Amino acid sequence: MTGKEQSYINEAFDLNWIAPLGNNVDGFEKELAEYVGVNHAAAVSSGTAAIHLALRLLEVEQGDAVFCSSLTFVASANPILYEKATPVLIDSEPETWNMSPAALERALRDAKKENILPKAVIVVNLYGQSAKMKELADLCDAYDVALIEDAAESLGADYGERKSGSFGYFGVFSFNGNKIITTSGGGMLTSNDEAMIKKARFLSTQARDPALHYQHSEIGYNYRMSNIVAGIGRAQLEAIDLRVQQRRDVFARYQEAFQDIEGFSFMPELTGARSNRWLTALMVNPTKTWVERTTIIEALAEENIEARPVWKPLHLQPLFEGATYYPLQENHSFSDELFEYGLCLPSGSNMTIEDQERVIQAIRRLL
Ligand SMILES: *Cc1c(COP(=O)(O)O)cnc(C)c1O
């Protein structure tokens, strides 16, 4: 927390607008849209809700295909299953660890041939780093497929001159407790299409028809953000640039401390892009370090330090068994390698230099 959250919450109490709506919700929507560089935003209860609404707004239904990055947190793809649509999973590429434009192109070409183009492509910006949005957006345009940018982990990152999350037809953000800024829980759906964002607000408040009585013709949800939660978000957003700098500093200190370790390769940063370094992630090559990634995690756990593997790709999850998968190359899946060798280190914005030194020394002892 920054210390300023309480004043926004007090404002909500003073005005007696606790929930559901109020000036903090309006303010947070406007301020986030401005920061990201999009025209409209709807504040909702989670990033997952924002993805679900995006799929509903694109009229995704049972039997429709939706493409999604395979290397991601399950929340990116769960809403595909809510609508009983068919997920098609796309591999990552080595320069960003995000969706491979080449694999997406193969998938789109095949889909077109079989006359089952997807209703949407969900591109995830992993660990704070933008995917190759230009190539991916150009492909989606060429095939006339809507792009949903899952920027839950990349708020504050840049890609070229623009902010991460502003490249899709829809952008999705999360303010869950583990994200770079948090409202305790919450999310945002953004778009330049005003009608879509208005409809998102309608669907997120139980889809009530304009009538004096309570009348409903569509399935709606209770997905709206409360005015208290939005107050936390407004203060958090004021600190986003500082949080990005703090996370980047954490990353830089790890990189510097391990620069002599040949078997460590840190998540790269795309030329012309600036990651928010939400998590410091690296690949551990055990033929060079003589220590397995999992051994490092276990050794840290013994010292009460939590580290984790990189996300288990969705195409390897029991939940998505049988889903069509497009690897980087016909016989080479890059996300399998990231899962096998990838390590995420403690990366909190509030980590002290002493905290970080403790992590570094524990790993160095092991090596
Ligand atoms: C956290 C996260 C989500 C979901 O956001 P919630 O607010 O937790 O629902 C979606 N996608 C990615 C990549 C995430 O990291």
Side-chain angles (χ1 to χ4, degrees), residues 135-264:
E135 290 90 330
L136 296 167
D138 284 352
L139 278 167
C140 289
D141 283 348
Y143 284 85
D144 198 20
V145 176
L147 198 170
I148 300 170
E149 198 180 0
D150 180 351
E153 298 178 5
S154 67
L155 178 63
D158 302 315
Y159 177 84
E161 301 292 297
R162 281 161 59 188
K163 285 288 171 203
S164 183
S166 67
F167 293 86
Y169 182 57
F170 287 114
V172 168
F173 297 89
S174 166
F175 315 109
N176 194 33
N178 60 340
K179 300 302 197 274
I180 192 158
I181 64 169
T182 181
T183 59
S184 72
M188 196 80 78
L189 182 69
T190 61
S191 180
N192 288 321
D193 187 331
E194 184 175 17
M196 283 291 183
I197 293 302
K198 277 191 175 151
K199 180 102 194 263
R201 294 193 188 109
F202 166 78
L203 291 176
S204 68
T205 49
Q206 308 286 16
R208 185 182 167 191
D209 293 338
L212 181 61
H213 51 276
Y214 278 73
Q215 176 172 302
H216 306 270
S217 352
E218 277 189 79
I219 298 179
Y221 311 92
N222 185 1
Y223 277 170
R224 202 74 166 115
M225 181 180 278
S226 92
N227 201 37
I228 299 292
V229 160
I232 303 173
R234 295 181 80 179
Q236 286 276 301
L237 189 60
E238 289 172 11
I240 180 66
D241 291 335
L242 173 64
R243 295 286 178 261
V244 172
Q245 194 51 54
Q246 288 167 322
R247 302 253 173 171
R248 287 184 64 86
D249 289 348
V250 166
F251 181 94
R253 286 198 292 267
Y254 280 129
Q255 201 174 31
E256 157 108 42
F258 296 125
Q259 61 182 335
D260 58 324
I261 310 290
E262 224 198 302
F264 279 9

Side-chain angles (χ1 to χ4, degrees), residues 342-357:
L343 172 67
C344 296
L345 293 175
S347 313
S349 315
N350 60 351
M351 255 187 126
T352 62
I353 297 205
E354 293 72 33
D355 286 338
Q356 204 177 345
E357 199 52 34

Side-chain angles (χ1 to χ4, degrees), residues 46-48 72-73 75-76 124 150 152-153 174 176 179 186:
S46 70
T48 312
T72 185
F73 179 46
S76 303
V124 182
D150 180 351
E153 298 178 5
S174 166
N176 194 33
K179 300 302 197 274

